[in-house]
């Protein structure tokens, strides 16, 4: 396999990018129209082709132009570094899935040479407009953000101011740590791959394949119900808990199994991994699970955490799991319309070094529904994270 094929990316990213571009179609068209008036027909044509079909025969220039416009259009819809990273990763995953490593690196480099300027009514420009940077001009901050994220995700060295696009592999230890976190996040967040993409992007990747062999995987139907579980042996053969071979159709949905997916087979899987001396990269088979009480499922508050003391350093630590901090609130979004907010006393003000050692939980509230709307895995992981916070 080439390096282009040895990277892990969300197989659903291109679909998400298409939806985003449909939502911001007018913004993209407006900037491209202005670009043509400025004589940037080549850029505009390439961008129009990418916007029409991100998975088609497109160029890095087209992807870079559309991404630059998308960044400018999406600013009003993002809050916090975590949301911005998710936005960028969605595009990176799409480029990796459809066009590979070299294409993604080229998009990041091309983006550094572009700027999307704000409207300038006094100059007669009533809408944002696109332009190329001039020699010696520093790339805009949004372009640097993409370059740094490509570096973090793929191990490519960020381009130098002189334009050197050479890259060196990332430190294997840091890549492994990052991929372990992403595999655990895939289990917690319910990420799925088609079986064919799972083999290509995960099992056949040198680093990810080694991690994948130390986990239990599950297959799912279109409604999210578990249809089977398996592990991967040293030869890449899928094995059931009794070590019998497992065959999966190419279109089968596959994901990292959560203990709640394993049901009565959990003990058997523990014995299987112990017998094969397989050490898991993160807590999976021995992961504690939790359930909502009937009263909690019907409520929008988790009263079990009210008035509990939590360590401030652990509050900051939850940022690695997608939580965000804002004054007296610790919060995390679950889908487009639900958000869990943890109210803290006295709250956070001046950064980690200046905060008190302990916080008191005033309330844990779900905005946008009741906790019973969460599936069993989401509810268990939410309670687990808050229990670790309050331990």
């Amino acid at each position: 396999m080439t390096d282009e094929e040895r990277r892990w990316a969300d197989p659903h990213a291109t679909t998400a990018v298409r939806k985003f571009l449909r939502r911001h179609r007018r913004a993209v068209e407006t900037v491209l129209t202005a670009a043509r008036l400025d004589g940037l027909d080549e850029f505009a044509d390439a961008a129009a082709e990418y916007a029409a079909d991100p998975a088609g025969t497109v160029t890095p220039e087209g992807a870079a132009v559309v991404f630059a416009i998308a960044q400018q259009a999406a600013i009003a819809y993002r809050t916090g570094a975590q949301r911005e990273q998710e936005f960028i990763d969605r595009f990176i995953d799409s480029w990796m899935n459809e066009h590979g490593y070299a294409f993604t690196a080229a998009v990041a480099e091309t983006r550094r040479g572009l700027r999307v300027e704000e409207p300038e009514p006094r100059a007669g420009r009533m809408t944002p407009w696109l332009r190329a940077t001039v020699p010696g001009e520093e790339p805009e901050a949004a372009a640097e953000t993409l370059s740094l994220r490509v570096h973090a995700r793929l191990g490519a060295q960020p381009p130098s101011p002189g334009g050197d696009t050479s890259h060196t592999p990332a430190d294997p230890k840091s890549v492994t740590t990052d991929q372990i976190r992403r595999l655990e996040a895939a289990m917690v967040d319910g990420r799925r791959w088609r079986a064919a993409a799972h083999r290509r992007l995960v099992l056949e990747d040198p680093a990810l394949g080694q991690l994948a062999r130390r986990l239990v995987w599950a297959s799912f139907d279109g409604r999210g119900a578990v249809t089977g579980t398996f592990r991967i042996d040293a030869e890449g053969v899928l094995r059931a808990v009794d070590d019998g071979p497992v065959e999966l159709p190419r279109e089968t949905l596959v994901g990292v199994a959560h203990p709640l997916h394993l049901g009565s087979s959990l003990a058997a899987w523990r014995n299987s991994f112990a017998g094969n001396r397989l050490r898991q990269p993160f807590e999976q088979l021995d992961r504690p699970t939790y359930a909502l009480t009937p009263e909690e499922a019907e409520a929008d508050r988790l009263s079990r955490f009210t008035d509990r003391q939590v360590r401030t350093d652990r509050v900051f630590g939850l940022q690695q799991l997608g939580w965000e901090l804002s004054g007296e609130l610790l919060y995390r979004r679950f889908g487009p319309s639900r958000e869990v907010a943890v109210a803290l006393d006295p709250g956070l003000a001046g950064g980690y070094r200046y905060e008190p050692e302990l916080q008191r939980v005033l309330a844990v509230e779900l905005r946008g529904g009741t906790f019973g709307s969460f599936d069993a895995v989401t509810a268990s992981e939410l309670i687990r994270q808050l229990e670790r916070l309050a331990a």
Side-chain angles (χ1 to χ4, degrees), residues 250-305:
R250 291 173 55 84
E251 295 302 309
T252 301
L253 291 172
V254 173
V256 182
H258 189 275
L260 292 175
H261 293 142
L262 301 178
S264 60
S265 68
L266 178 58
W269 274 118
R270 287 172 176 165
N271 291 334
S272 172
F273 269 57
N276 286 285
R277 298 183 179 180
L278 294 172
R279 183 178 180 182
Q280 298 203 289
F282 59 82
E283 203 172 37
Q284 183 193 27
L285 294 176
D286 293 320
R287 195 181 195 87
T289 59
Y290 302 86
L292 297 164
T293 66
E295 293 76 19
E296 289 172 333
E298 295 178 358
D300 60 0
R301 293 201 172 200
L302 286 180
S303 58
R304 70 172 77 183
F305 294 104

Side-chain angles (χ1 to χ4, degrees), residues 64-77:
V65 170
V66 171
F67 179 79
I69 300 170
Q71 274 188 306
Q72 197 277 341
I75 287 174
Y77 297 88

Side-chain angles (χ1 to χ4, degrees), residues 138-161:
E138 291 293 321
E140 64 181 356
E144 294 284 27
T145 300
L146 174 63
S147 291
L148 291 173
R149 189 58 186 156
V150 168
H151 166 58
R153 286 286 309 280
L154 310 180
Q157 183 174 336
S160 66

Side-chain angles (χ1 to χ4, degrees), residues 3-344:
D3 283 344
E4 288 85 346
E5 298 169 311
R6 287 175 175 164
R7 305 293 177 182
W8 178 28
D10 180 359
H12 306 295
T14 302
T15 299
V17 166
R18 288 180 191 274
K19 290 180 179 178
F20 178 89
L21 294 180
R22 284 197 296 269
R23 187 163 65 248
H24 295 284
R25 177 177 57 84
R26 289 186 180 180
V28 173
E29 290 176 349
T30 297
V31 177
L32 293 184
T33 298
R36 293 184 192 281
L37 294 175
D38 288 341
L40 299 176
D41 295 280
E42 188 173 340
F43 268 153
D45 289 344
E49 290 178 357
Y50 178 83
D53 184 11
T57 304
V58 296
T59 65
E61 290 74 20
V65 170
V66 171
F67 179 79
I69 300 170
Q71 274 188 306
Q72 197 277 341
I75 287 174
Y77 297 88
R78 296 200 306 271
T79 55
Q82 180 71 22
R83 298 289 297 282
E84 182 175 19
Q85 180 174 304
E86 291 171 357
F87 167 81
I88 294 173
D89 279 350
R90 186 176 299 127
F91 277 86
I92 292 176
D93 285 353
S94 175
W95 300 329
M96 288 303 305
N97 275 330
E98 305 299 342
H99 307 293
Y101 173 84
F103 182 96
T104 304
V107 173
E109 174 60 14
T110 303
R111 173 68 184 94
R112 289 168 57 84
L114 300 171
R115 299 186 79 92
V116 180
E117 302 285 11
E118 293 293 333
E120 209 174 287
R122 292 183 179 179
R125 290 187 178 272
M126 308 305 294
T127 61
W129 81 95
L130 177 76
R131 71 172 177 85
T133 57
V134 299
E137 182 180 10
E138 291 293 321
E140 64 181 356
E144 294 284 27
T145 300
L146 174 63
S147 291
L148 291 173
R149 189 58 186 156
V150 168
H151 166 58
R153 286 286 309 280
L154 310 180
Q157 183 174 336
S160 66
D164 180 11
T165 60
S166 63
H167 62 272
T168 57
D171 173 49
K173 292 182 180 179
S174 64
V175 171
T176 300
T177 300
D178 181 62
Q179 301 297 10
I180 288 173
R181 290 174 178 168
R182 296 190 68 200
L183 281 171
E184 184 172 16
M187 179 187 74
V188 171
D189 297 335
R191 180 169 293 182
R192 306 286 183 257
W193 296 263
R194 297 292 178 183
H198 177 255
R199 178 164 291 279
R200 177 170 59 88
L201 297 172
V202 179
L203 301 191
E204 294 179 359
D205 183 282
L208 287 173
Q210 292 298 318
L211 296 174
R213 288 171 173 80
R214 293 152 53 193
L215 295 169
V216 178
W217 297 81
S219 56
F220 301 84
D221 63 20
R223 295 172 298 178
V226 176
T227 58
T229 58
F230 60 90
R231 67 176 179 90
I232 302 103
D233 69 15
E235 286 71 43
V237 177
L238 310 188
R239 299 284 182 185
V241 69
D242 62 1
D243 274 345
V246 173
E247 295 291 337
L248 294 180
R250 291 173 55 84
E251 295 302 309
T252 301
L253 291 172
V254 173
V256 182
H258 189 275
L260 292 175
H261 293 142
L262 301 178
S264 60
S265 68
L266 178 58
W269 274 118
R270 287 172 176 165
N271 291 334
S272 172
F273 269 57
N276 286 285
R277 298 183 179 180
L278 294 172
R279 183 178 180 182
Q280 298 203 289
F282 59 82
E283 203 172 37
Q284 183 193 27
L285 294 176
D286 293 320
R287 195 181 195 87
T289 59
Y290 302 86
L292 297 164
T293 66
E295 293 76 19
E296 289 172 333
E298 295 178 358
D300 60 0
R301 293 201 172 200
L302 286 180
S303 58
R304 70 172 77 183
F305 294 104
T306 302
D307 285 331
R308 292 176 67 172
Q309 297 283 337
V310 300
R311 284 170 39 183
T312 298
D313 60 341
R314 291 184 177 176
V315 172
F316 280 96
L318 281 184
Q319 291 179 104
Q320 294 184 354
L321 300 178
W323 293 80
E324 298 183 49
L325 300 174
S326 177
E328 297 173 353
L329 283 181
L330 172 69
Y331 62 93
R332 184 185 179 194
R333 296 190 66 83
F334 290 83
S337 61
R338 295 179 299 182
E339 179 181 88
V340 173
V342 181
L344 302 171

